[in-house]
Amino acid sequence: MAVWALGINHNTAPLDLRGRFAFALDQIAPTLHGLRAALQGPEAAIISTCNRTEIYCAGNQQALDHTVDWLAHSGGVSPALLRSHAYTLQDGPVARHAFRVASGLDSMVLGEPQILGQMKDAIRVAEQAGALGSTLNQLFQRSFAVAKEVRTSTEIGAHSISMAAAAVRLAGQLFEDLTQVRVLFVGAGEMIELAATHFAAKNPKSIAVANRTLERGEKLAIRFGGEVMRLADLPSRLHEFDAVVSCTASTLPIIGLGAVERALKLRKHRPIFMVDLAVPRDIEPEVKALEDVFLYTVDDLAHVVQSGQANRQAAVAQAEVIIDAGVQSFLHWMEQRHPVHGVVPLIQQLNAQADEWRTTELARARRLLAKGDDIDAVLDMLSKGLTQKMLHGAMAELRAGDADSREHTVQAIHKLFLRKER
């Protein structure tokens, strides 16, 4: 059984390339069906977040190159370009990487807890799609257990700064008084809910939520004492807001350069603070060049969330020890369930040979019993016949060969026949 993975993340690929490979949660099941059909049915799971897209597979034959080709094709890029930004892993390193991701050690925000929930959602979808087998199920259940131990046994997440908190910090640097700021949230998903929670704690002048589905946006708006608006009304009302935080599942930008230029003109060029947490982008990148716009993407927030990480290096070392133990445990499970290539056929041959000896001696015993021979004598002969057949090879090796060969045979015999029961 081979296990392999490939991925791109915030360390290896730029934002726009990551956007080509972003899969919304409701896209994962059909995407998994396509992947498994192309690779002829391995176990598979896809994890896709703002900062990463990763594919995990397990099957009888490793198909890493085909997996790279399939993902490149799905994103409309060449395999060579994808390879230049991707990481590929096989066997043990796959488990280590999955455990580190689940534990928050591979995140832009060291120790952030959100990735664990995103992984659990992705694995639930893969399981419901029938894409998981025993190997990947074990891999991810163990990764969740390791992550829990890391979070309860270390202080890895004690001082983590979330993307939402970083956005509030940057807004506070631009505006002297956040209580005078009008904030618009575009989208109503988990990330927007988190951002709204952080901004609401600063008591802004007003909060509005724009969402494609009014019902979901209204729930969020009511929670924070704000108003809800239709996404279609956003261009005509954009000028009303001092801060805009956007994170939707749209595959194309929903806030264009022209809309922002018109908003600035109506605002008489009072600055707008904008945060685009979506992958792919919600806000056209050209907006960043406008003089009175302060636009930050998930990658732009990196230096903010990195602050204070030096204080957590001891916790990282502790977490790595826990992860090491988890990796060794998973590899041991793999070895028990899926023995090393070549061992299974040997076991089958050994069992076949033993069955042949047993069949031969039983047939001989039955013939003697049919002739009326004494039962005890026949059983004695049966046991001796089986014993001689089993020991014949070992005895022959002890009598043949040079001194070195005999020494190896002696050690093997001690291990196979003379060891005490454990």
Side-chain angles (χ1 to χ4, degrees), residues 169-419:
R169 178 182 292 189
L170 288 171
Q173 293 173 3
L174 177 62
F175 300 108
E176 291 183 7
D177 185 1
L178 288 180
T179 63
Q180 298 303 308
V181 171
R182 294 179 172 87
V183 187
L184 170 65
F185 297 101
V186 184
E190 184 180 357
M191 185 62 81
I192 287 296
E193 185 176 355
L194 189 61
T197 302
H198 281 272
F199 270 95
K202 299 296 183 181
N203 297 312
K205 189 169 186 176
S206 68
I207 286 177
V209 178
N211 194 51
R212 200 174 303 277
T213 306
L214 267 184
E215 182 183 357
R216 189 169 180 184
E218 191 171 27
K219 287 181 180 178
L220 197 60
I222 291 172
R223 178 179 165 188
F224 295 108
E227 66 164 314
V228 65
M229 56 185 275
R230 296 182 183 278
L231 209 54
D233 296 333
L234 194 153
S236 63
R237 294 194 56 188
L238 189 59
H239 66 281
E240 299 175 19
F241 303 98
D242 308 299
V244 179
V245 181
S246 188
C247 186
T248 74
S250 175
T251 56
L252 296 171
I254 57 175
I255 302 177
L257 177 63
V260 179
E261 287 177 328
R262 288 191 296 275
L264 286 173
K265 189 174 181 179
L266 290 169
R267 289 174 62 81
K268 296 181 170 48
H269 292 279
R270 283 181 291 117
I272 302 179
F273 173 78
M274 307 186 84
V275 178
D276 187 352
L277 297 174
V279 180
R281 297 174 189 260
D282 275 347
I283 303 173
E284 286 187 345
E286 293 80 7
V287 169
K288 193 163 190 171
L290 296 176
E291 188 174 346
D292 297 301
V293 173
F294 296 83
L295 172 61
Y296 296 88
T297 66
V298 286
D299 288 359
D300 294 326
L301 295 176
H303 70 281
V304 179
V305 301
Q306 296 299 325
S307 63
Q309 292 205 12
N311 298 332
R312 296 194 294 277
Q313 290 312 303
V316 170
Q318 291 176 310
E320 295 286 10
V321 171
I322 295 170
I323 288 168
D324 282 342
V327 170
Q328 292 307 313
S329 176
F330 175 71
L331 292 178
H332 179 71
W333 178 85
M334 283 282 288
E335 175 61 27
Q336 294 296 310
R337 187 171 179 85
H338 308 290
V340 177
H341 179 67
V343 172
V344 171
L346 185 60
I347 291 172
Q348 292 171 340
Q349 291 175 31
L350 191 58
N351 283 329
Q353 181 65 80
D355 282 340
E356 183 182 329
W357 290 336
R358 186 173 60 85
T359 301
T360 301
E361 293 302 320
L362 277 173
R364 185 180 173 195
R366 287 190 179 108
R367 286 196 301 271
L368 294 173
L369 289 173
K371 287 168 54 179
D373 285 14
D374 179 69
I375 292 178
D376 287 337
V378 171
L379 289 174
D380 185 57
M381 183 208 65
L382 173 65
S383 64
K384 285 181 178 178
L386 279 174
T387 302
Q388 287 172 355
K389 282 179 167 60
M390 286 189 294
L391 295 180
H392 173 73
M395 295 296 190
E397 287 296 318
L398 281 174
R399 298 189 186 102
D402 55 26
D404 288 340
S405 297
R406 282 196 299 275
E407 180 59 32
H408 286 303
T409 302
V410 167
Q411 293 176 12
I413 287 172
H414 275 283
K415 288 180 181 179
L416 296 174
F417 299 108
L418 301 178
R419 67 178 180 176

